[in-house]
Structures are given as C-alpha cells and as structure tokens.
Amino acid sequence: MAVTITSLVLFLIGLVLGGGGIWLAVLGGSWYYLIAGLVFLVTAWLLFRRRSTSLWFYSLFVLATLCWAVWEIGFDWWQLGPRGGVIVLIALWLLTPWARRGLRGPDGRAPLILAVLASLAVAFYSMTADPKDIGGTLGTEKVATAANLGGDMPAGEWHFYGRTPFGQRYSPLDQITPDNVAKLQPAWTYRTGDVKGPDDIGETTYQVTPLKIGDALFICTPHNFAIAIDAASGKEKWRYDPKIKLDPERQHQTCRGVSYYADAKIAAGQPCALRVYLPTSDARLIALDAANGQLCPSFAEGGTLNLMANMPYPKSGYYYSTSAPLIIGGKIIIGGAVNDNYSTEEPSGVIRAYDAGTGALLWNWDSGNPDQTAPLPTGQNYTNNSPNMWSTASADEKLGLLYLPLGNQTPDQLGMGRSANVEKFSSSITALDLNTGQLRWVRQTVHHDLWDMDVPAQPTLVDITTASGVVPALVGPTKQGDLYVLDRRTGEPIIPVKEVPAPGGAIEGDHAAPTQPASDLSFNPKPLTGADMWGITMFDQLACRIELKKLRYEGRYTPPSLQGSLIYPGNFGVFNWGGVAVDPVRQVMFGMPTYLAFTSKLIPRADVPAPGDNTKGSEQGLNRNEGAPYAVVMGPFLSPLGVPCQAPPWGYVAGVDLKTGNIAYKHRNGTVYDMTPLPLPLKVGVPGIGGPMITGGGVAFLGAAVDDYLRAYDLTTGRQLWRARLPAGGQSTPMSYTVADGRQFVVIVAGGHGSVGTKPGDYVMAYTLPK
C-alpha cells in the first residue's frame, strides 16, 4: 500500500511540475521544471510496477538537480534549499523499508544514498558560505578633528530630528564602544497608552525619534499626543492631547517627531521661552510650552496654526504633516504628506516658512509655481497635486540654504499632463534660499517619475575631505538605491552622476524618459532573472518563475503597464524615510539597503470596481486615482504562500567611505523570527523601514528590521555586536544622550508599522551601561 500511495504522490507531483514546466518553457523560462515533471512521472510508473530501477533513476535525477542548482545559483543555501528540499526528502522516503517493499531488480539504495549524501554535503558547505556578503572595513582615522556637526548644542543632547539641522543622525558621545556595548541593559520602559484601535486605518504606525533638551525627552504618538518624559527615569512629566478625530480618508496615522525652539525674545524661565511644536494628522501645527505642555497663545491663532490655509481641494484627511518640521534661523520650515493615488484633485505640496515666534507666514515655495514665493494672499490657492515634501528638510544656516527631499505628483504612475515645473522638481533634491524661499539649485534623481521613486529621506550634510580640499557636501539617499553625494553649495556631483539609457514603451498618451540619472555610488540591485525566483518549495518557486515571465520587466524603470510590470527596486525603496547616518569625524556612512520587488498594473477606468473598503489608495492593493484614466493595482511581488518571490537577502547593513565612494561592507541583517509561524532565528536578511544612528564610540544602532530587535553594530566592520528584544516593532530611528550623572543612554520607540505588519505597541525603551 505504501508503494502505491508513494507512486500516486509522485505522479501528482509530476503532473504539477510538468504542467507548470510546460507553461514556463512556453514563456521562455527554464526547462528544468518540465524535465523534473517527466522524471517524477517516470519514477511513479516504475515504482507502481515495483521496479527497483525507480531508485536508480531517481538517484540520477537527484544528482542532476544538484548540478543544475549549483550551476544556476552557486553555493547559496537559501536558494539551494527550495530547489532540492522536496527532492531530497522524497529520496529519504524512498530509502525507507515501506517505500521499497516488494521492489524487484538490482538494489538501488546505494546510488540513492550517495546522491543524498552529495546533496547534504553541498547543503552543509553552502551554510558556511555567503556569496552575497561583502566583507571589509571602514577607516578608523579621525579625518576631521574639529568636525562640523551642523549645530551648537551640548554633546549629550538631541535637539532636531537628525540631532542637528545637518541630519547626520550622529551623536558625538563615546562612552559606549564596540568593547562594552554588549553590556547594555534596560534602564527604563515608558508606555504612552496610545495604541492602535479597531477603527484605525491600516497604516497606523509609530515612528518617532525623541528629542532631548535639558532633563527631558519630547515625543509624539501616532494619534498626535505630545509627551515629555524625564530622561533619566522615564517618568512622564506632562502630556498634551490635541483631540485628533479618526478619519478613514487619511492614508497615514503616524508621527515621526516634534520640533524644538528656544525663543530668544522671551526671558528664560518665562512661559513659552522654550517650545515644542507638534504636527498633527488633521493638518495643524501646535506650539506648546516645553516646561508644562500648555498652549503658547502668542503663536498663530491661540497656539494653533492651520496648515490648510490657501490649499486647493481642502478635503479632510488628504493633507497632513507626518514628519517633524525643521526650525532654523527663527523659521519653521514645514511640508506635508498628500494622500497618494486617491484623486487628481488633491492639496498642494507647498513648503512654507513661518515665523517660529508668531506663526506669521514668511514665504511659500510651491513646486508647481516656484517663482511665487511671497506669502500667498487670502483667496488664492497653491497648485494642486504639486510635488511635496513628506519627509524633513535639512539646512546649512551659514550658507543660507535649505535642502528639500521632494516627492512626485500624484497619481504616481501616470505622467500625462504634468507641467514643466512638475517635470523639473519631481523626485529631486532642491535647494532654496533659507530667507526668501527662492530657488538656488535642483538635482533631479528620476526623470518623469512613473514609479513613486520620490526622494524619501532628509538629505544629510557633511564636510568631506577630497583631493581639492574640504568640500561642504550633501548625501541624498534614494528609493532606487542611488546615493547622491553633491556639493551642497551648487548641487554639482562630488561622486559622478551620469545619464544611462532607460526602458521606453509607456502607455498611450504617456511617455518614459529615454535616460535616467545614475550615481556612481549606488546600492541599485542587479536585474532579477528566473534564477532569482524563490519559494519555500520548488512549487511556489515555479509559480514565481511563471509570474515573472508574465510580467513586463526590462530592469530598473520598467514603465507601468496594462499587462502588469515588475518594479525593482520596489515602492518601499532601497532607502526610505529613515535615510542614512554619517560620522562627520571619520567621514563614513552607515545605512540599511532593502530590496523588495513590487508589481504595478494599470486598470482602465471602465474596469475599476465600485468604491469599497480599503480601495482608495495605499502601497498595496487597488489605488483608485479618481479623475484619471487609469487606476493602479500594486503590491509586493509575493509567491502563492505569501513570501517574497525574489530570493533573500531582502535587507542588509552597509558601510561607505564617503571620501572615496567605496562600499566597504554589506552584510545580511535581521532574521525571520517574527515573520513565520515558528520563531526561527534564521539570519536571512529581512526588509526594514526606519533609520540608523552612529555614536562617537564607533557603534551604530538600528532597529527597523521586521524582526523585533534593536541591534548594535561595529561601525568599522558592520558586524553585529549586541541586540535587545523589543516588545513591538522597532520601525523608528534610535537616538542617544546623557543624563546628569554622565551615563549615556540609547533610546528607541517600539510601536510597530502598519504597512509591514510588525507588532503594534506604545513603548519607549531606554538602555545604558551598568553603573
């Protein structure tokens, strides 16, 4: 009976592989699966006839598969496993007495045992090697002994989202080192009480980086509570509730940070001399007294600024600020997030500068009408749907320049009818005069963006030593993996940028740019092939290979299409809002490149289903694009089992020497511990969203990965030194500070991320060395 059942199972496997293999071969893919299907059918027949030649025949197939797999992808355990796992398990079953009972002819156990042993030997060897790893070291020399950190503040404080207006995410504190970081222990845990509820939108996330001023930390929460915490004990000092109403039209419910301002016009110790500014998801900016959380009535209208002023299409939930405004030179610089792919009638992406004391509008810069920077009078509106800044700006006050990471015009995947100004500023790093808002230079990172490849992260400013001397530079990470290293005075490249040919063939009525910019410093991945397709088993791997061949794919910048296109790098980007961290003393960079392919399929308006739940717009599913001729369906490129179709690793940590532009190391980062039903700590290299932080002690800290850990790395080598289990997803950027007794703390918020599905929570976690 066991032999009969085995032959039937092999017969069914042969039908599945043979049928799928024919489909794949017709599409121009590998013939292996068709051949494998035939082998299973023949083996099933021989086994059913009780022929021991079935074992001989199958052993040849095991060896042939091993040779094919190594030829196709080398000694990569994570790719060898799906190719050979089922096949070797069946071989082991065929060696059991039950599967061999009654077989006639020469004993076939010996060749099958040898084939299995050969497969296991290759498997064990591949576990010791990592062909995707780049090993190397960053220089330890202090290139700049008096480095420009971009701000004058005590070393133990953190006054801006990126610590200073330069956005370096670098703390000069050096108490924690590679030698002692493993001794870090929890100092305190604070819970905000603001948790995701049943009526919240899916994209409810907790991404804040705290500020530290004096003895207090200042944070916001997803529903925009502002909270002050004692930095040493974690005890709450005060909280402010802006009473945000839930809105199903809102695409994001999050807060990445608050802003701090010391008003020199108010005597120290007086109300509102020190202020915290809270951006809200209902498009307000609220000024609070840092001492007690009370409103500052002299700011705007009783302490509250209405960010919907002069907005076209001021629909509830369509515009809000998710990121901390930049306060520099007495001005609050603020942009906003605009709902992606909801409609052609959406608010403007205007960037505005307000007086930090009074809330008076000083200038406005609208990328759809860039020459009109004088405050817009009542009754006039900004340009609708113009490229926006949903992240945070950086600034060099000495140069008088402001640096904006700009998005693209929504709908993201449709480029018809864009104005010349939109084409110029979309997906660019743009420099404005800090005092007037006038344009100084623009560096576009994508031409005619059809992929939502907006510049997602705050540009990082750092002075770099070159052969020509010290150059004030800007490092701009992008979703497509390019890192733009520019002279921040002019926007001219320090590391070369060239134009390269790009795929054409956009839909009728649209066009694709014939060339695209490409930086010589890039984490852009190689184009995907059939060999890169992955799965838990050979069956879902086959399904992914078929799906790849069905999609339109010509490499990076394949235009969206009616048949469906593969977008790689995908919408989450190689880099996202977390950006990179830079050590200005050693002039090196630490980042977390992520690789996750997406698909994008345009749907003619006549075929778009009637509105329903969760069909407005998001990074996954149907994006309606009301008013446009096409909607779009997009999401991660996943197998039938819900795992990425592309082989891991999907996430790395990496180090770059900014003086040379060389990538020193690139290591897999993170495990599947929280991605699978069983908590397996397998270091695959997983996706993440969040940012890193570097300390003067030579240690980099990063949460972000989709397993719930905060990790410390040796900045020089990129090797993991320590990790702490978090009670929820750590999709935020850590920071560091000191308290009165001199101890250095590292703090991260753990609250999860709605889009990537990590565990929600309301935790603020602090770590320090033992006394």
Side-chain angles (χ1 to χ4, degrees), residues 748-763:
I748 188 171
V749 162
H753 194 287
S755 285
V756 299
T758 51
K759 182 180 178 181
D762 63 340
Y763 300 86

Side-chain angles (χ1 to χ4, degrees), residues 76 78-79 132 532 534-535 644 646-652 668 684-686:
D76 185 339
W78 294 107
Q79 295 204 58
K132 302 296 177 65
D532 297 310
W534 196 65
Q646 70 194 83
W650 308 300
Y652 294 87
R668 295 175 191 254
V684 175
V686 297

Side-chain angles (χ1 to χ4, degrees), residues 365 367 370 406-407 421-428 430 439 442 444:
W365 185 81
S367 57
L406 291 183
N421 284 327
V422 168
E423 294 284 30
K424 178 178 180 179
F425 293 108
S426 176
S427 304
S428 71
T430 295
L439 177 68
V442 58
Q444 191 165 59

Side-chain angles (χ1 to χ4, degrees), residues 239-259:
R239 71 167 50 206
Y240 173 81
D241 180 3
K243 302 191 183 307
I244 301 296
K245 295 181 180 179
L246 298 181
D247 192 335
E249 299 293 330
R250 198 174 291 142
Q251 195 171 21
H252 304 276
Q253 187 69 57
T254 190
C255 186
R256 296 192 184 97
V258 296
S259 304

Side-chain angles (χ1 to χ4, degrees), residues 43-278:
T43 304
W45 172 249
L46 292 173
L47 199 61
F48 183 75
R49 297 294 301 275
R50 301 303 194 269
R51 301 290 179 85
S52 61
T53 50
S54 59
L55 304 188
W56 289 82
F57 187 67
Y58 194 78
S59 64
L60 291 175
F61 172 60
V62 173
L63 290 173
T65 294
L66 178 63
C67 294
W68 166 77
V70 172
W71 168 79
E72 190 174 50
I73 47 85
F75 295 99
D76 185 339
W77 158 248
W78 294 107
Q79 295 204 58
L80 289 174
R83 286 166 169 81
V86 169
I87 292 169
V88 171
L89 287 175
I90 291 173
L92 292 172
W93 170 251
L94 291 176
L95 288 170
T96 65
W98 308 283
R100 293 185 293 104
R101 183 173 293 122
L103 296 186
R104 299 185 298 272
D107 192 339
R109 285 180 296 174
L112 192 53
I113 289 171
L114 289 174
V116 169
L117 290 176
S119 298
L120 293 177
V122 169
F124 285 127
Y125 172 76
S126 67
M127 290 178 184
T128 67
D130 187 354
K132 302 296 177 65
D133 186 80
I134 298 175
T137 59
L138 291 170
T140 58
E141 177 190 2
K142 293 184 177 180
V143 181
T145 54
N148 184 3
L149 305 186
D152 183 16
M153 72 181 73
E157 303 221 333
W158 194 287
H159 288 190
F160 294 80
Y161 172 69
R163 189 174 179 272
T164 76
F166 276 21
Q168 294 171 342
R169 281 163 282 282
Y170 170 81
S171 168
L173 300 175
D174 58 6
Q175 187 179 123
I176 299 170
T177 69
D179 292 332
N180 64 19
V181 66
K183 298 178 182 178
L184 279 178
Q185 59 188 24
W188 50 258
T189 299
Y190 170 79
R191 301 195 65 175
T192 69
D194 184 5
V195 296
K196 183 177 181 180
D199 297 325
D200 273 312
I201 59 172
E203 181 70 14
T204 298
T205 65
Y206 199 13
Q207 303 169 324
V208 66
T209 298
L211 304 184
K212 195 270 185 177
I213 298 97
D215 63 355
L217 297 180
F218 299 95
I219 63 171
C220 53
T221 70
H223 296 94
N224 302 134
F225 295 100
I227 302 174
I229 305 168
D230 183 272
S233 67
K235 302 294 185 183
E236 182 177 310
K237 296 167 75 74
W238 57 256
R239 71 167 50 206
Y240 173 81
D241 180 3
K243 302 191 183 307
I244 301 296
K245 295 181 180 179
L246 298 181
D247 192 335
E249 299 293 330
R250 198 174 291 142
Q251 195 171 21
H252 304 276
Q253 187 69 57
T254 190
C255 186
R256 296 192 184 97
V258 296
S259 304
Y260 164 73
Y261 177 63
D263 193 336
K265 297 178 182 178
I266 301 177
Q270 294 299 305
C272 293
L274 304 180
R275 301 184 186 186
V276 170
Y277 291 84
L278 173 70

Side-chain angles (χ1 to χ4, degrees), residues 526-548:
K526 293 180 180 179
L528 294 174
T529 67
D532 297 310
M533 294 300 97
W534 196 65
I536 301 299
T537 68
M538 62 191 305
F539 306 110
D540 51 319
Q541 184 182 59
L542 170 58
C544 286
R545 287 194 185 232
I546 293 170
E547 193 61 29
L548 174 67

Side-chain angles (χ1 to χ4, degrees), residues 513-531:
T515 65
Q516 291 288 357
S519 172
D520 280 359
L521 174 54
S522 182
F523 286 90
N524 175 40
K526 293 180 180 179
L528 294 174
T529 67

